[in-house]
């Protein structure tokens, strides 16, 4: 018996009029037009990560409310459009990020970053604190749609670095989102060796930010270290935003 059929047997014949809740299968089907790679297993994974919490029927079937579906759509857009790891998405949701904020904004006409409805340009949040989930190669391949050989190529060129535990290699959330982004670039013929320019640029930026904040980051005062970590995350977001603007400027020159 399918989830939908089993659920129908549990519901009263004439329920009160209210916003319709959906089974996980119906939610997955409804999201597939915008997110072709979505799967039931991925939705369950996001639930395991406590990013969405559908209610359950007495029989244990998941029921997603309209707000649950909107939250899922926000999460998936932040992953796809801004390449955010789940730890950062969790921060964004806690700060009130909504599906409207995560919608694809119209292209800017003056080279500025897209603006969400409400005014000021939004910079991507950056988290540099340790911790978070780790994933096996099989998990990463299933979640990102990348081939295992692409993951190996990225390791060979030093773009990502998994951690070997026993006979299994694990990757953190940042590695996983890098793989997701590179998979999209690979569709245009970009190979692992072509990504060295991105790696070198990131290393130079990290060295600059370290030079600015190194004394505070190494302080024995925990409050000062915490303030330095906050400043580091803010500077990283500013640097990412600046790099995005410079890229837009240069691409406009190429297109012109």
């Amino acid at each position: 018996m399918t989830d939908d059929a089993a659920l129908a047997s549990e519901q009263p014949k004439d329920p009160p009029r209210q916003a319709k809740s959906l089974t996980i299968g119906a939610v997955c089907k409804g999201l597939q037009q915008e997110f072709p790679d979505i799967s039931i297993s991925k939705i369950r994974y996001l639930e395991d990560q406590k990013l969405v919490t559908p209610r359950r029927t007495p029989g244990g079937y998941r029921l997603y409310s309209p707000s649950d579906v909107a939250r899922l759509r926000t999460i998936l857009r932040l992953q796809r459009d801004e390449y955010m790891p789940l730890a950062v998405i969790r921060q964004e949701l806690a700060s009130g990020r909504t599906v409207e904020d995560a919608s694809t904004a119209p292209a800017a006409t003056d080279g500025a970053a897209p603006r969400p409805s409400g005014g000021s340009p939004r910079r991507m949040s950056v988290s540099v604190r340790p911790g978070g989930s780790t994933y096996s190669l099989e998990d990463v391949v299933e979640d990102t749609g990348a081939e295992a050989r692409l993951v190996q190529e990225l390791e060979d060129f030093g773009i990502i670095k998994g951690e070997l535990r026993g006979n299994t290699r694990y990757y953190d959330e940042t590695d996983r989102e890098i793989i997701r982004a590179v998979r999209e670039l690979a569709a245009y013929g970009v190979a692992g060796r072509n990504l060295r320019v991105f790696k070198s640029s990131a290393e130079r930026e990290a060295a600059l930010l370290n030079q600015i904040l190194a004394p505070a980051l190494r302080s024995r005062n925990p409050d000062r270290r915490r303030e330095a970590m906050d400043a580091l995350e803010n500077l990283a977001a500013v640097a990412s935003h600046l790099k995005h603007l410079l890229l837009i400027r240069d691409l406009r020159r190429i297109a012109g």
Side-chain angles (χ1 to χ4, degrees), residues 123-124 126 205 234-245:
R123 286 198 301 267
M124 174 179 168
V126 174
E205 289 178 29
N234 182 62
L235 284 175
V238 172
S240 296
H241 184 59
L242 174 60
K243 183 167 61 176
H244 174 70
L245 293 175

Side-chain angles (χ1 to χ4, degrees), residues 111-134:
R115 293 173 181 262
S117 57
S120 60
R122 177 184 288 277
R123 286 198 301 267
M124 174 179 168
S125 298
V126 174
S127 175
V128 298
R129 298 165 202 269
S133 302
T134 56

Side-chain angles (χ1 to χ4, degrees), residues 45 49 131-136 139-140 163 165 170-173:
Y45 172 76
Q49 295 299 304
S133 302
T134 56
Y135 315 89
S136 68
D139 292 335
V140 168
E163 178 184 351
R165 301 179 194 166
Y170 289 89
Y171 304 88
D172 64 20
E173 289 185 355

Side-chain angles (χ1 to χ4, degrees), residues 45-196:
Y45 172 76
L46 294 174
E47 181 185 344
D48 291 342
Q49 295 299 304
K50 311 300 183 186
L51 287 165
V52 62
T53 53
R55 71 181 180 90
R56 299 245 184 176
T57 69
Y61 296 99
R62 297 170 175 83
L63 280 180
Y64 291 80
S65 68
S67 62
D68 290 329
V69 177
R71 186 177 177 90
L72 275 172
R73 199 176 296 276
T74 299
I75 293 166
L76 295 171
R77 286 178 177 171
L78 292 175
Q79 280 191 314
R80 180 194 65 193
D81 300 339
E82 302 189 34
Y83 305 109
M84 288 187 182
L86 294 183
V88 177
I89 290 176
R90 190 174 288 108
Q91 295 173 8
E92 291 289 306
L93 293 172
S95 68
R97 191 79 179 263
T98 66
V99 66
E100 289 79 12
D101 294 332
S103 298
T104 302
T109 58
D110 58 356
R115 293 173 181 262
S117 57
S120 60
R122 177 184 288 277
R123 286 198 301 267
M124 174 179 168
S125 298
V126 174
S127 175
V128 298
R129 298 165 202 269
S133 302
T134 56
Y135 315 89
S136 68
L137 174 61
E138 290 74 17
D139 292 335
V140 168
V141 167
E142 179 182 359
D143 186 45
T144 65
E147 296 183 6
R149 62 181 178 83
L150 175 61
V151 179
Q152 184 60 56
E153 183 181 12
L154 294 178
E155 285 207 63
D156 292 343
F157 286 101
I159 307 300
I160 61 173
K161 184 178 181 181
E163 178 184 351
L164 190 63
R165 301 179 194 166
N167 295 323
T168 304
R169 187 169 292 278
Y170 289 89
Y171 304 88
D172 64 20
E173 289 185 355
T174 301
D175 287 333
R176 189 187 61 170
E177 297 311 314
I178 289 172
I179 294 166
R180 190 192 304 280
V182 173
R183 173 180 172 268
E184 295 195 28
L185 291 175
Y188 294 90
V190 179
R193 62 180 178 276
N194 304 127
L195 300 174
R196 288 171 172 167

